[in-house]
Amino acid sequence: MAKHTVTLIPGDGIGPEITGAMRRIVEATGVDIAWEVVDAGAGVVEQYGTPLPQHVIDAVRRNGVAIKGPITTPVGGGFRSVNVALRKALDLYVNLRPAFSIQGTGARYDDVDIVIVRENTEDLYAGIEFEQGTADTAELIEWVEAKGAGVIRPDSGISLKPISVTASARIVRWAFEYALANDRRKVTAVHKANILKYSDGLFLKVAREIAAEYEGQVEFEDRIVDATCMGLVLRPSDFDVMVLPNLYGDIVSDLAAGLVGGLGMAPGANIGMDCAVFEPVHGSAPKYTGKDMANPTAEILSAALMLDHLGERDAAARILGSVRAVLAAGDSVTYDIKRTNTGSTEGCVGTQAYADAVIAGL
Ligand code: NAI
């Protein structure tokens, strides 16, 4: 029996190509993985009546670890995003988004090494919304006024921002445990507690309580989200591990990706108590489907994160080292990197040739 069994969801668009490249590289490290390949997305709707069949969820749960390619969200198809549905079904409450500088990618900074830990289940993204002009919204507006809580214009739409002790505690604790396990020096909690006293204020209060348990082991600071954004652009090396509620986490993690070369370089993971799903941050880039052009780096770096998670740190480090070397050399790189570095795509290589170069450098 293989040492690890991993669910592989190739996805659609460029997904099958970049996951194919990733799989070859992981296998070339010699790590003993059995892949259980399952499909999700628009392509399986006809067969199963849903883009996220139950057996896909069951496979991730059974194996505990999955890696996926991007999946297209059909516009107006009546289905939610498969990605969001998977996170909900498996209660993947952590969104892990490392952002680190890699030479040769046109990044603005060469000294960024940030790990962003984003809460994935609540906040303004909880999906609790009241549409403008409906009876429910009018009732809610009346109720708020009757409680003396404030006046809301009658032609408003409303989205709720729930922040709980439970979700805040588990995400902050996860960030500290990650910092400890990965020899990180500091955790920064990001919020707007000066204005949003009962939601972000609660997040901050809980963060301080959890931080006290780690005193002497990991440093703690808190920052207001607007000042954080400025600080990240001015001096990103000030930041180490960052923990944020859902909305700020979404925005700040893309900002951090922009500091280190954009979404094509950004790996990610969604992690819960029992399972973890690794995936690049970018989407399915439909216009490049089947052209052997897409940059598989974010998918490959997601695999390195996965190998770390599986305890295969040596294989993860070898992959990262080889990716760094290939990008720094700049010869065998995909069109997007070539264009960033030289202003033209001339001399670029395809997805699989880039993967071959990474394999050769392992
Ligand atoms: P996208 O990330 O697919 O594309 C944005 C731009 O970046 C495009 O110009 C695209 O061609 C380029 N690009 C993206 N990845 C690339 C790569 N690896 N190599 C080279 N170029 C790359 O975002 P978009 O167009 O907003 O979304 C397309 C579809 O993907 C949508 O249906 C969206 O819902 C879905 N999506 C899925 C995600 C997931 O599965 N986790 C995440 C984000 C979007």
Side-chain angles (χ1 to χ4, degrees), residues 14 68 70-73 83 279 281-285 288 295 335:
I14 59 172
K68 64 182 280 293
I71 296 175
T72 308
T73 304
N83 309 296
E279 64 177 334
V281 169
H282 63 71
S284 57
Y288 294 121
N295 181 357
Y335 81 97

Side-chain angles (χ1 to χ4, degrees), residues 263-276:
L263 294 182
M265 294 294 132
N270 293 292
I271 302 172
M273 299 295 267
D274 309 313
C275 38

Side-chain angles (χ1 to χ4, degrees), residues 10-323:
D12 51 36
I14 59 172
E17 293 165 67
I18 61 174
T19 54
M22 173 280 296
R23 179 174 172 169
R24 289 201 294 122
I25 293 167
V26 171
E27 285 175 352
T29 65
V31 172
D32 189 13
I33 290 184
W35 306 90
E36 186 181 359
V37 182
V38 286
D39 288 316
V44 304
V45 171
E46 203 172 307
Q47 194 179 354
Y48 299 104
T50 164
L52 182 60
Q54 186 60 38
H55 71 265
V56 173
I57 298 171
D58 292 344
V60 179
R61 210 173 261 141
R62 188 170 58 247
N63 297 325
V65 179
I67 186 160
K68 64 182 280 293
I71 296 175
T72 308
T73 304
V75 180
F79 293 110
R80 281 188 311 170
S81 152
V82 169
N83 309 296
V84 174
L86 197 58
R87 281 168 218 165
K88 287 215 159 145
L90 297 167
D91 194 19
L92 305 176
Y93 66 92
V94 182
N95 181 217
L96 179 66
R97 293 270 305 263
F100 47 88
S101 309
I102 297 185
Q103 202 195 331
T105 58
R108 283 171 202 280
Y109 294 92
D110 57 13
D111 59 349
V112 178
D113 187 8
I114 300 170
V115 175
I116 293 180
V117 178
R118 164 187 169 194
E119 205 287 325
N120 230 355
T121 67
E122 58 180 21
D123 193 354
L124 277 168
Y125 289 8
I128 309 169
E129 299 203 286
F130 295 87
E131 193 180 356
Q132 184 265 324
T134 62
D136 283 350
T137 305
E139 197 183 325
L140 180 59
I141 290 172
E142 253 174 55
W143 185 88
V144 169
E145 265 195 62
K147 293 282 171 195
V151 175
I152 301 174
R153 291 192 183 92
D155 56 351
S156 298
I158 299 173
S159 305
L160 294 190
K161 178 183 162 90
I163 298 270
S164 68
V165 171
T166 305
S168 302
R170 70 180 179 174
I171 196 72
V172 174
R173 190 175 297 289
W174 198 94
F176 272 97
E177 288 298 325
Y178 180 93
L180 272 184
N182 293 279
D183 295 325
R184 296 274 176 169
R185 72 194 147 85
K186 183 171 78 176
V187 171
T188 304
V190 179
H191 58 84
K192 189 78 184 175
N194 51 333
I195 306 289
L196 302 166
K197 295 192 193 311
Y198 297 145
S199 49
D200 285 13
L202 183 60
F203 177 80
L204 177 59
K205 176 174 173 284
V206 171
R208 285 184 172 143
E209 284 166 11
I210 304 278
E213 296 176 29
Y214 293 87
E215 209 176 324
Q217 298 179 80
V218 183
E219 241 181 89
F220 174 73
E221 65 171 12
D222 72 274
R223 290 209 198 191
I224 293 176
V225 64
D226 40 357
T228 300
C229 290
M230 190 180 64
L232 272 170
V233 173
L234 282 176
R235 224 176 16 253
S237 55
D238 279 359
F239 295 88
D240 192 349
V241 175
M242 304 174 74
V243 62
L244 308 90
N246 208 338
L247 172 68
Y248 308 143
D250 188 15
I251 298 168
V252 170
S253 56
D254 268 24
L255 192 161
L259 297 174
V260 297
L263 294 182
M265 294 294 132
N270 293 292
I271 302 172
M273 299 295 267
D274 309 313
C275 38
V277 178
F278 296 82
E279 64 177 334
V281 169
H282 63 71
S284 57
K287 68 180 173 197
Y288 294 121
T289 304
K291 294 194 171 149
D292 189 39
M293 282 175 74
N295 181 357
T297 305
E299 182 77 46
I300 296 166
L301 296 178
S302 300
L305 274 183
M306 177 185 81
L307 291 169
D308 265 339
H309 177 86
L310 290 170
E312 299 285 357
R313 292 199 170 226
D314 180 56
R318 282 170 62 207
I319 290 177
L320 183 56
S322 182
V323 166

